[in-house]
Amino acid sequence: MRDKKIIDWNNNQKLLKSLILKKEHFDLAIELCLKQHAMVHSSNVSNNNFNTIEDDLWNCLDDSTFRGFVKTDHGTIARNIWHTTRIEDLTMNILVAGESQILNESNRIEKLNSIIQDTGNAMTDSEVIEFSKHINKEELIRYRVAVGIKTQAILKTLKYDDLKVKIKKSRLQQVLDEGGVLNIDGANWLIDFWGRKNVAGILLMPATRHNLVHINQSKRIKEKLQRKQKR
């Protein structure tokens, strides 16, 4: 049975895409974007009184499943959560807002105990396994919530004309300089991808759609590993 939350989310995303650059619908588009974003984060981000799509992923998710590796869907839930959070942090805080990334705050890098600081796009299977073994799960959850809260705040400050602004080359270079994206094959295509977008494009992908893609992958990993545990 298909998940009604995901069906509704996809329908709303199509609506958001159709509205986001129409000036007469700006307020509605931002309101919808806030809701779409909230649904692909935990309810701690927006203080919703209902379960989000991400809440459903965390429900009954034990530590071994969080870290467990499968060959498909980018390997582990830990890697997917890290990857989406890093990309949202970099794109919303540096590229859109022109501010510093959340990762650099409050001694967060050390607390996370991560073997990488980039998005993890070019990781090998063995690197994914090693990363997932060592990442501090509780700190990763805190980091993700902090990134989600900041994105909600940024969205609320945007004006219509901001949506049409192209991503600045200097901010793309900052992402590279800070090691958010590695300047190697398998990762640096992200810089070109983001460089072709305006702010509205970043809100559609990655700030909203990208999160759902990797939550869906994480759910498949969860199902595979939990089926295996029951055998």
Side-chain angles (χ1 to χ4, degrees):
M1 182 183 297
R2 295 186 65 193
D3 189 326
K4 186 178 184 303
K5 289 179 190 173
I6 294 176
I7 294 171
D8 289 345
W9 194 96
N10 283 324
N11 288 334
N12 284 332
Q13 192 73 1
K14 290 176 185 176
L15 177 60
L16 175 61
K17 187 176 181 180
S18 72
L19 296 177
I20 196 164
L21 284 177
K22 294 179 179 178
K23 190 171 185 178
E24 65 272 24
H25 295 306
F26 171 74
D27 290 341
L28 177 59
I30 292 298
E31 180 183 355
L32 185 55
C33 191
L34 285 163
K35 291 179 179 178
Q36 289 291 92
H37 176 264
M39 284 298 294
V40 290
H41 276 268
S42 77
S43 51
N44 292 326
V45 166
S46 54
N47 293 316
N48 285 321
N49 58 1
F50 56 86
N51 282 348
T52 67
I53 296 170
E54 186 178 303
D55 287 334
D56 292 341
L57 170 65
W58 290 111
N59 185 38
C60 298
L61 180 65
D62 60 34
D63 193 69
S64 63
T65 305
F66 171 75
R67 302 178 193 279
F69 180 83
V70 299
K71 191 68 177 175
T72 57
D73 292 318
H74 295 286
T76 71
I77 295 170
R79 185 268 177 194
N80 277 296
I81 295 296
W82 168 269
H83 172 71
T84 53
T85 306
R86 288 299 292 125
I87 282 186
E88 184 176 330
D89 191 0
L90 294 164
T91 55
M92 290 304 297
N93 290 296
I94 295 180
L95 300 187
V96 172
E99 299 177 2
S100 61
Q101 50 180 316
I102 300 295
L103 184 69
N104 293 337
E105 298 176 355
S106 306
N107 203 29
R108 200 177 298 276
I109 295 171
E110 183 177 340
K111 291 176 182 176
L112 281 160
N113 196 36
S114 173
I115 63 172
I116 63 169
Q117 294 184 28
D118 63 280
T119 61
N121 277 78
M123 293 174 79
T124 64
D125 287 353
S126 60
E127 288 170 337
V128 170
I129 291 168
E130 191 68 12
F131 164 85
S132 303
K133 185 189 302 181
H134 294 288
I135 190 73
N136 185 312
K137 178 182 175 183
E138 288 71 27
E139 286 298 330
L140 180 57
I141 292 170
R142 291 188 188 98
Y143 173 45
R144 182 159 178 78
V145 169
V147 168
I149 289 172
K150 183 64 183 300
T151 293
Q152 292 266 316
I154 292 169
L155 288 171
K156 292 172 184 176
T157 68
L158 294 175
K159 308 300 182 189
Y160 173 72
D161 287 342
D162 295 330
L163 299 180
K164 298 179 288 183
V165 173
K166 292 284 289 184
I167 300 303
K168 295 180 180 178
K169 290 182 179 180
S170 60
R171 295 181 183 179
L172 292 164
Q173 186 60 49
Q174 182 182 343
V175 170
L176 288 171
D177 291 344
E178 294 188 14
V181 170
L182 299 183
N183 198 7
I184 60 173
D185 291 344
N188 55 13
W189 63 270
L190 279 170
I191 298 299
D192 292 332
F193 178 70
W194 295 334
R196 294 192 295 269
K197 290 182 175 291
N198 55 19
V199 169
I202 293 291
L203 300 189
L204 293 171
M205 183 72 176
T208 50
R209 170 66 67 185
H210 185 251
N211 282 294
L212 182 67
V213 168
H214 287 280
I215 289 173
N216 283 337
Q217 290 177 341
S218 295
K219 285 184 173 183
R220 288 194 293 269
I221 292 170
K222 179 183 177 182
E223 289 167 3
K224 289 174 185 176
L225 292 175
Q226 289 184 341
R227 281 200 305 267
K228 188 176 179 180
Q229 290 169 2
K230 291 177 181 178
R231 290 174 187 168

